[in-house]
Amino acid sequence: LAELFPVLAGIVDAHVAGTRYNIKVDPADGLLAGGQPGVQLTWMDAIVGGRVITPRIGKPVEVNALWYNALVSMAGFAVRLGRPAGVYQGHAAKALAGFDRFWNSGRGYCYDVLDGPAGPEDRLRPNQLLAVSLPASPLPPDRQAGVVDACEQYLLTPAGLRTLDPRDPDYHPTYLGDQAARDAAYHQGTVWGWLLGPFVQSHLRVYADPDRAESFLRPAADLIRAMGQGSLSEIAEGAPPMRPVGCIAQAWSVAEALRAWDLIRQTR
């Protein structure tokens, strides 16, 4: 830790000061912003013919959940090493207060992006699960429950979580056609298996019900057999029967399923 600490401190400093693609901390609320036209910085990164399918310029919710956890971790590391922790504690406190802006009280879950060109993005997406699943949650318990409940009701499927609410007019239920058509659906309703990990962890945090959490993972065993490869695919279609598509064996789908099983085992 002593060897790594200066490197980690440099990473935090760079983000506070500002780096490429307009990535920087907003001094007004302590949140991390970034992005520029034609560039897609988050994991929702599909671009078709130069058009960004899910433009998320501004302050993405999962990026700021990770930012807050990074600051809390750095404060803890500094304390363990006997170094000054005040600067990280100060940044974390400001980011925590700023994170309150993500709450969409009218819908009972988090905005996906703040301060973008078109204002707050209120589409229901699974990215907000990281604000519940990560060790340092910036949300109080009642809001954690709101996030979990909304994602369970509208995004959860046996194969993972949809990337967009089926009620949304831009929802794509299928993943078919040429590269452009598939990329247009990639984060607009397509199911991603890796999101089961954050969802299960969030559900365990809110409800402390390992039996219920296990029920969300049981279908993965059927998918392993159905695919015929002893593995889990990258993605699946958003509409029943959630046909597995994309990469036939994806490391992060497998890793998150295993991590979720282990979390359930530890809870028991």
Side-chain angles (χ1 to χ4, degrees):
L1 181 57
E3 181 181 353
L4 287 173
F5 189 85
V7 178
L8 300 176
I11 292 171
V12 171
D13 291 345
H15 282 74
V16 171
T19 182
R20 292 184 300 170
Y21 307 120
N22 296 319
I23 297 171
K24 60 184 177 181
V25 171
D26 184 344
D29 57 15
L31 299 177
L32 195 60
Q36 64 187 48
V39 177
Q40 183 56 293
L41 297 179
T42 75
W43 79 278
M44 290 188 160
D45 58 356
I47 299 178
V48 175
R51 179 174 66 94
V52 175
I53 302 302
T54 52
R56 302 181 75 218
I57 295 174
K59 300 167 183 174
V61 64
E62 79 281 12
V63 170
N64 279 284
L66 288 161
W67 174 240
Y68 174 64
N69 271 262
L71 296 169
V72 170
S73 296
M74 286 298 289
F77 295 160
V79 169
R80 287 173 62 184
L81 293 172
R83 302 188 184 194
V87 64
Y88 303 112
Q89 292 168 341
H91 285 315
K94 192 162 189 176
L96 177 61
F99 204 91
D100 185 68
R101 299 184 55 224
F102 276 104
W103 188 248
N104 185 343
S105 58
R107 300 207 174 187
Y109 53 77
C110 288
Y111 289 109
D112 189 55
V113 182
L114 292 178
D115 298 340
E121 175 59 77
D122 64 357
R123 290 177 167 180
L124 176 59
R125 295 190 185 274
N127 302 304
Q128 60 192 293
L129 284 169
L130 271 69
V132 184
S133 66
L134 289 168
S137 174
L139 295 173
D142 61 325
R143 293 183 179 181
Q144 293 176 16
V147 167
V148 171
D149 291 347
C151 289
E152 180 177 0
Q153 183 174 2
Y154 296 109
L155 304 182
L156 180 68
T157 78
L161 275 80
R162 297 183 179 98
T163 41
L164 185 63
D165 187 339
R167 300 170 298 173
D168 193 286
D170 288 331
Y171 169 71
H172 285 242
T174 57
Y175 186 80
L176 295 167
D178 60 16
Q179 185 72 43
R182 296 196 309 274
D183 280 353
Y186 210 30
H187 304 293
Q188 294 286 71
T190 296
V191 172
W192 286 71
W194 77 267
L195 290 165
L196 273 174
F199 176 77
V200 167
Q201 189 165 15
S202 297
H203 197 279
L204 281 171
R205 182 176 214 156
V206 170
Y207 291 108
D209 185 347
D211 291 336
R212 177 69 173 150
E214 184 179 305
S215 71
F216 303 131
L217 281 175
R218 285 197 197 108
D222 296 326
L223 289 172
I224 290 171
R225 289 190 290 267
M227 289 295 292
Q229 298 296 322
S231 190
L232 293 171
S233 65
E234 174 193 22
I235 53 177
E237 292 187 320
M242 284 79 188
R243 182 177 66 95
V245 288
C247 176
I248 196 170
Q250 186 67 43
W252 55 66
S253 299
V254 175
E256 282 298 286
L258 290 172
R259 190 177 69 85
W261 280 115
D262 192 54
L263 286 169
I264 294 168
R265 180 186 60 80
Q266 292 177 36
T267 302
R268 289 195 171 110

